[in-house]
Amino acid sequence: MIQAREALIPHDVNQMLVNAMRCLTAADVLVDSAEFRADHLPFLLPVTLTIGNGLELLFKYNLVRQGQSLALLRDRYGRDIFRLWKQPENTAIRLMALGNFAHAV
């Protein structure tokens, strides 16, 4: 499981953005599926985890683009998406996510 998780956070910052978009697109496909509309309960955990992974990667991508190293991000934040969420540098992404959530609800 650790190896699979490490594959999501590559050393190439551009690949990190690609992986974030893959996660968010996968969640979108699941939510738009007939199966989800018929009975969303079995999909809530996978959708939530996939969105969480996508947001984590977007937050980290943003911080790397602003000059922080991947090593620093791993040491400082680990997988703590809430700490990443609260960073002032991630305000625009946070507002986008909140807007999308409000629209979805």
Side-chain angles (χ1 to χ4, degrees), residues 14-76:
N14 295 317
Q15 189 62 45
M16 186 182 298
L17 180 60
V18 169
N19 288 351
M21 296 311 300
R22 286 176 176 165
C23 287
L24 296 173
T25 300
D28 194 43
V29 168
L30 279 172
V31 169
D32 284 342
S33 71
E35 291 85 356
F36 186 89
R37 286 190 297 275
D39 182 13
H40 66 274
L41 192 58
F43 296 96
L44 287 179
L45 181 61
V47 166
T48 303
L49 291 172
T50 304
I51 291 170
N53 283 335
L55 284 174
E56 176 188 356
L57 289 165
L58 275 179
F59 288 143
K60 288 180 177 179
Y61 169 81
N62 185 52
L63 294 174
V64 168
R65 296 290 294 170
Q66 294 183 37
Q68 296 186 33
S69 71
L70 285 175
L72 176 67
L73 294 178
R74 284 186 186 103
D75 291 343
R76 185 176 289 168

Side-chain angles (χ1 to χ4, degrees), residues 56-104:
E56 176 188 356
L57 289 165
L58 275 179
F59 288 143
K60 288 180 177 179
Y61 169 81
N62 185 52
L63 294 174
V64 168
R65 296 290 294 170
Q66 294 183 37
Q68 296 186 33
S69 71
L70 285 175
L72 176 67
L73 294 178
R74 284 186 186 103
D75 291 343
R76 185 176 289 168
Y77 303 105
R79 302 272 335 268
D80 192 341
I81 194 167
F82 187 64
R83 288 186 61 219
L84 289 161
W85 177 271
K86 294 189 309 183
Q87 295 311 300
E89 299 91 346
N90 285 328
T91 299
I93 297 169
R94 183 173 55 247
L95 292 174
M96 177 195 64
L98 288 170
N100 286 332
F101 176 75
H103 177 73

Side-chain angles (χ1 to χ4, degrees), residues 1-6:
M1 183 67 170
I2 292 173
Q3 290 175 345
R5 179 64 200 140
E6 287 299 316

